[in-house]
Amino acid sequence: MDRVVITIARQYGSGGKTIGKMLAADLGIKAYSREILKLASEDSGINERLFNQVDEKLKSTSLFGIMKRAYKGELIPPESEDFTSNQNLFNYQAKVIKELAETESCVIIGRCGDYVLKGNPRVVSVFVHASPEYCLKQAIERGAHAGKDVEKFIQRTDKYRAEYYHYYTGQEWNDARNYDLCLNSERLGFEGCVEAIKAYIKIRFGENAI
């Protein structure tokens, strides 16, 4: 297939990650999610533990609500005291995403992939969503956070994703204008979403694109 990169943003419980992996398997390409953290660690020399820790730290802070640090594409040099800052950890993840997009067809799940690759003509950006009831049902069926209030966990997770996206992009996570496709997985089903993305790729890039 011609080089095509699909980025997927998703509500928790909508099945976006599963859809991304199903699509990658169908097309015979790789799907990247948290693997990007490992690659960013290898590229920067910064311990992977810091990349994992920053997500947990940002989840518990109010920093998102009072400011933003929209990604501009620059890297902070090792000699700077901000080399291991939250912003630079994101910068290295973005660097990895850009390099992947230039070298292979792949699926990028989360990590503001649509924004990082904005303007790349070979990128298809997708937002997967569903009703709160469907997301709750899916989360419970998949055993998400057994023993906890799953509904509140979903709300917190989506709030974090929205704030993370706004912090690093200056834009709204669930704004349809940021994406090529917005798919309701409750209506289409996972396989239907995969087929819809493939159909879009064919229409946009031609029958031989995949």
Side-chain angles (χ1 to χ4, degrees):
M1 62 181 287
D2 295 334
R3 181 169 50 81
V4 177
V5 176
I6 303 96
T7 68
I8 295 184
R10 75 284 185 214
Q11 290 181 316
Y12 190 91
S14 68
K17 186 174 183 179
T18 300
I19 290 166
K21 291 186 174 182
M22 288 172 61
L23 176 66
D26 190 294
L27 298 178
I29 61 179
K30 292 182 179 179
Y32 294 94
S33 180
R34 296 192 68 84
E35 294 86 353
I36 291 171
L37 303 182
K38 178 177 177 60
L39 294 172
S41 171
E42 293 173 351
D43 185 58
S44 65
I46 299 172
N47 194 303
E48 186 180 351
R49 176 175 51 83
L50 293 180
F51 285 92
N52 287 293
Q53 284 180 344
V54 70
D55 281 355
E56 296 305 317
K57 182 169 66 174
L58 291 177
K59 283 179 182 178
S60 62
T61 183
S62 60
L63 183 64
F64 282 151
I66 60 175
M67 62 194 306
K68 61 184 179 183
R69 289 287 185 270
Y71 170 70
K72 302 296 184 183
E74 70 282 356
L75 292 171
I76 299 173
E79 59 270 19
S80 171
E81 61 181 14
D82 292 326
F83 180 62
T84 58
S85 65
N86 297 344
Q87 182 65 53
N88 207 37
L89 295 178
F90 180 85
N91 291 345
Y92 270 101
Q93 292 176 62
K95 179 175 182 285
V96 166
I97 290 171
K98 284 184 172 181
E99 290 174 347
L100 289 171
E102 290 300 322
T103 57
E104 64 180 89
S105 292
C106 60
V107 176
I108 304 292
I109 301 170
R111 307 290 157 189
C112 305
D114 62 285
Y115 182 84
V116 170
L117 298 177
K118 188 176 182 179
N120 186 320
R122 302 300 299 182
V123 171
V124 173
S125 56
V126 180
F127 184 82
V128 181
H129 63 99
S131 70
E133 295 77 15
Y134 180 82
C135 291
L136 178 60
K137 179 183 177 183
Q138 287 293 311
I140 292 175
E141 287 181 354
R142 293 170 183 270
H145 299 271
K148 297 184 179 180
D149 189 325
V150 180
E151 186 173 7
K152 287 185 178 179
F153 176 81
I154 291 173
Q155 292 172 352
R156 287 196 303 270
T157 300
D158 282 347
K159 181 175 184 291
Y160 164 71
R161 288 178 177 175
E163 292 179 343
Y164 181 96
Y165 188 90
H166 183 263
Y167 183 74
Y168 287 118
T169 73
Q171 299 180 357
E172 299 304 315
W173 173 63
N174 59 356
D175 187 339
R177 293 171 295 183
N178 294 330
Y179 307 97
D180 297 311
L181 287 175
C182 291
L183 301 176
N184 187 327
S185 57
E186 181 178 10
R187 297 284 186 264
L188 293 177
F190 292 0
E191 291 184 358
C193 286
V194 169
E195 292 304 314
I197 297 169
K198 288 166 59 182
Y200 177 88
I201 292 172
K202 288 182 179 180
I203 292 171
R204 180 170 163 185
F205 298 115
E207 286 291 329
N208 297 323
I210 58 176

